[in-house]
Amino acid sequence: MLFSLPSLTLLASISLLHSSPALADDNPLCNGHAELCSRKYSNITFIGAHDSPFVGDSPADNQDLSITDQLDTGIRYLQAQTHVNAFKILSLCHTNCFLNDAGSLTSYLKTIKTWLDKNPTEIVSLLLTNGDRLDPAKFDTAFKAAELDGYAYVPPADAPLALDKWPTLGDMIAAKTRLVVFLDYGAKPDVPYILDQFAYYFETPFDTTDPAFNQCAIDRPPNASPDGRMYVLNHYLDKELLGGIFDDVLIPDRDAAPTTNGEESIRAQVGLCEGLYHRKPNVVLLDFVDKRVGDVQARLNGL
């Protein structure tokens, strides 16, 4: 049988459509699991990196791995503190920029963009603190400079979303909105992709020094109802600096991390919270995420 040139062109186009994994995939993955493609964002538990940019071996550092390495090991939720440094640059600073300045927010966001570009079926969430109570336009400037603002999910105009109104991971990937951004203070509707953390979440107490983690109270926002909110479980352990010589100075307990990040410890606190709120936490924040034992994230999601 002979084909005309237009027919051959059409056949070639059809062949390309069926052979391109970006356009047609019989086994799509979302955050590494096909089962998560039909799961709503609000119905997933993420293991998150607390103070993700503060990497090193100083007493104030919270992580051992670079941002790229954290993402490569399966972390999909990054938390970071921000302040304006002495050079008037919005930076990743631990408590203040004299103590620990991990570089500009723009540089951090560029690293995340590079990773997302290499991993087109992954969704990453970012929780930023606004220590200086800046206008969200300052954060928007950093996202635009990193060319990452176009990756961010924007909820409908009637936000905040109810728990059952969030899209599925598959929908978010298809829409190319693979970044979800939250800000603890100062979010405004004029920067619609930077979402108000406490409109969407409540969180449990932080700066915990009790390794039993035998509490799951609502710490922020004060007097909040759990109804309609996702929630963050702060599961990282602190200790007093030099055994308490410096009053009220707490540092991450690096030595305890393998136990704190073990499945037994995490599941015990998750179970306590689940008993109170009748659902699992949406985020479990850890220090030293490289020291977690086993794939507790997958098991918390029934995978």
Side-chain angles (χ1 to χ4, degrees):
M1 181 184 292
L2 296 177
F3 293 92
S4 66
L5 183 58
S7 298
L8 289 171
T9 301
L10 176 62
L11 287 172
S13 299
I14 293 171
S15 177
L16 283 171
L17 281 171
H18 285 282
S19 64
S20 172
L23 296 174
D25 191 342
D26 293 334
N27 296 292
L29 297 179
C30 301
N31 281 21
H33 297 276
E35 298 92 331
L36 293 181
C37 291
S38 59
R39 189 93 58 92
K40 291 183 182 296
Y41 178 88
S42 55
N43 190 32
I44 294 172
T45 298
F46 298 97
I47 297 295
H50 170 246
D51 279 340
S52 61
F54 307 118
V55 177
D57 56 9
S58 81
D61 287 320
N62 299 80
Q63 302 296 339
D64 295 321
L65 301 178
S66 69
I67 295 302
T68 298
D69 288 343
Q70 290 174 38
L71 293 167
D72 283 345
T73 62
I75 296 299
R76 297 292 177 269
Y77 204 103
L78 302 171
Q79 185 267 351
Q81 299 183 44
T82 70
H83 289 274
V84 175
N85 68 15
F87 303 99
K88 308 300 182 184
I89 297 170
L90 183 54
S91 298
L92 301 159
C93 296
H94 198 308
T95 308
N96 66 67
C97 294
F98 295 103
L99 175 64
N100 193 337
D101 187 337
S104 72
L105 176 60
T106 297
S107 177
Y108 175 79
L109 296 175
K110 286 181 178 178
T111 298
I112 295 170
K113 179 182 182 298
T114 297
W115 192 89
L116 283 170
D117 287 342
K118 292 179 179 178
N119 296 274
T121 62
E122 302 291 327
I123 293 171
V124 172
S125 300
L126 183 57
L127 172 56
L128 298 174
T129 71
N130 184 6
D132 296 330
R133 304 299 192 263
L134 302 175
D135 190 280
K138 299 290 186 183
F139 291 86
D140 184 43
T141 297
F143 277 88
K144 283 182 165 60
E147 299 181 342
L148 194 55
D149 57 311
Y151 291 57
Y153 171 71
V154 179
D158 58 348
L161 291 176
L163 291 175
D164 62 352
K165 298 301 182 183
W166 277 87
T168 66
L169 294 198
D171 290 339
M172 296 170 77
I173 290 168
K176 298 184 179 180
T177 53
R178 297 187 295 114
L179 180 72
V180 189
V181 183
F182 300 96
L183 189 67
D184 66 345
Y185 295 106
K188 295 179 181 178
D190 53 345
V191 186
Y193 66 88
I194 297 181
L195 309 182
D196 180 348
Q197 175 192 351
F198 296 121
Y200 285 96
Y201 290 103
F202 68 88
E203 66 170 294
T204 65
F206 54 94
D207 290 342
T208 299
T209 57
D210 179 3
F213 291 97
N214 57 359
Q215 50 73 32
C216 196
I218 297 176
D219 185 64
R220 296 190 299 172
N223 304 313
S225 169
D227 296 339
R229 287 183 171 94
M230 299 181 284
Y231 71 102
V232 176
L233 181 62
N234 288 309
H235 192 85
Y236 49 89
L237 190 66
D238 290 337
K239 64 180 180 180
E240 294 177 327
L241 180 62
L242 297 179
I245 293 176
F246 297 97
D247 292 340
D248 300 323
V249 178
L250 298 177
I251 60 172
D253 195 337
R254 185 186 298 266
D255 294 335
T259 300
T260 302
N261 296 357
E263 185 162 352
E264 181 179 356
S265 178
I266 292 173
R267 277 191 173 275
Q269 193 178 17
V270 166
L272 177 63
C273 296
E274 195 172 7
L276 289 172
Y277 307 120
H278 309 294
R279 51 193 166 95
K280 291 184 174 69
N282 300 85
V283 186
V284 180
L285 285 182
L286 304 178
D287 285 336
F288 311 112
V289 295
D290 57 308
K291 293 180 170 59
R292 66 192 190 279
V293 179
D295 194 358
V296 66
Q297 180 169 251
R299 285 189 279 278
L300 287 174
N301 286 295
L303 304 173

